Amino acid sequence: HGGVICMPMTRYAGVAFERRREGDSPKRVVGIITGVLDVLAHVHERQIAHRDLKSTNVLIDERDVCLVDFGVAQRFGESAADDNDRVAGTAEYMAPEIMDGGRVTAASDLYSVGVLLYRWLTGRWPFAEDSMSIAKHAGVMVPLTVLRPSLPKALDEVARSLLHPDPAQREGDAATARGALLRLLPKLNGRSSRNAMKVLDGGATGPTLPTMLPGGRTTDDD
């Protein structure tokens, strides 16, 4: 403008969900996730993957969900790795095929949504951080209903699908995943629980928890 180079940006009044995650009710969390998936469905229609979905990139207010920071967004089919075999993004939220420098697809973003869902509901990562890559590729995690027994088992199934190590086995697309979660909303309570967010988050002691394996089996089944 007037010979000055500038980049106009929209000012958004919402806050990052990371700052208000603790204590939110399951219904509130799943409702926000459906908003994330609604936005993603529109993005994916344009054959673009966000590629860095995480708590600090989800802004919310009382009515809307906004995804920000498309700095590493890529078109479907592009390699996640650059010419130096480096992969941009946030490892904790990254799909295993992206960690390997594979091709970007809608399923890559769905995996990150699965991490958001799991972490916002339990206060912990789906996979142990000290063996994250191995656990992600194996698809081994503690079921949601072990950490929060009041949650419906059908929510475990959605989380397991979103976090499946094989992208072909994840929910079909963002709209499909959103529909699955919308059907569960009536089964979720709207009460906050701060204690539920503190379950075994980093080094807590207690009994060994069963872990979920691909196909829905747990280590308790062996």
Side-chain angles (χ1 to χ4, degrees):
H1 175 73
V4 177
I5 297 175
C6 65
M7 182 174 68
M9 300 178 69
T10 301
R11 184 181 184 276
Y12 190 76
V15 298
F17 194 64
E18 179 69 18
R19 295 174 54 188
R20 53 187 297 174
R21 169 173 52 82
E22 184 172 343
D24 273 292
S25 70
K27 180 168 285 189
R28 170 71 167 157
V29 168
V30 172
I32 291 171
I33 290 290
T34 63
V36 171
L37 287 165
D38 188 33
V39 176
L40 269 186
H42 291 284
V43 174
H44 289 172
E45 284 178 0
R46 292 158 177 78
Q47 303 295 297
I48 294 173
H50 184 284
R51 277 274 286 104
D52 198 22
L53 290 171
K54 55 186 176 182
S55 294
T56 52
N57 285 342
V58 178
L59 303 185
I60 58 172
D61 59 21
E62 294 308 312
R63 296 177 303 169
D64 299 316
V65 174
C66 179
L67 298 186
V68 298
D69 192 0
F70 281 73
V72 297
Q74 291 182 275
R75 292 193 176 276
F76 292 170
E78 292 182 343
S79 171
D82 63 18
D83 293 339
N84 295 313
D85 288 329
R86 294 175 300 192
V87 178
T90 307
E92 290 84 356
Y93 294 89
M94 200 178 290
E97 71 273 11
I98 298 300
M99 297 181 77
D100 293 340
R103 297 290 173 182
V104 173
T105 67
S108 310
D109 278 347
L110 293 183
Y111 187 95
S112 301
V113 172
V115 177
L116 289 172
L117 175 67
Y118 192 101
R119 182 156 175 77
W120 289 353
L121 285 172
T122 68
R124 58 174 283 169
W125 300 108
F127 309 107
E129 292 182 80
D130 58 353
S131 59
M132 181 173 54
S133 179
I134 296 174
K136 280 189 174 189
H137 283 79
V140 179
M141 66 181 185
V142 177
L144 285 173
T145 48
V146 170
L147 297 173
R148 296 191 73 166
S150 63
L151 295 175
K153 287 190 177 296
L155 193 55
D156 261 338
E157 296 173 6
V158 175
R160 185 171 67 245
S161 173
L162 291 170
L163 292 166
H164 200 287
D166 181 357
Q169 299 299 316
R170 293 176 203 147
E171 292 285 346
D173 53 33
T176 301
R178 181 174 182 269
L181 290 175
L182 284 175
R183 288 190 291 274
L184 289 175
L185 275 179
K187 302 179 182 179
L188 300 173
N189 71 60
R191 293 173 297 181
S192 300
S193 177
R194 291 187 178 275
N195 289 334
M197 302 304 296
K198 299 176 182 177
V199 177
L200 296 176
D201 193 5
T205 58
T208 300
L209 296 172
T211 52
M212 186 180 292
L213 306 171
R217 295 172 55 251
T218 71
T219 52
D220 274 0
D221 297 332
D222 295 331

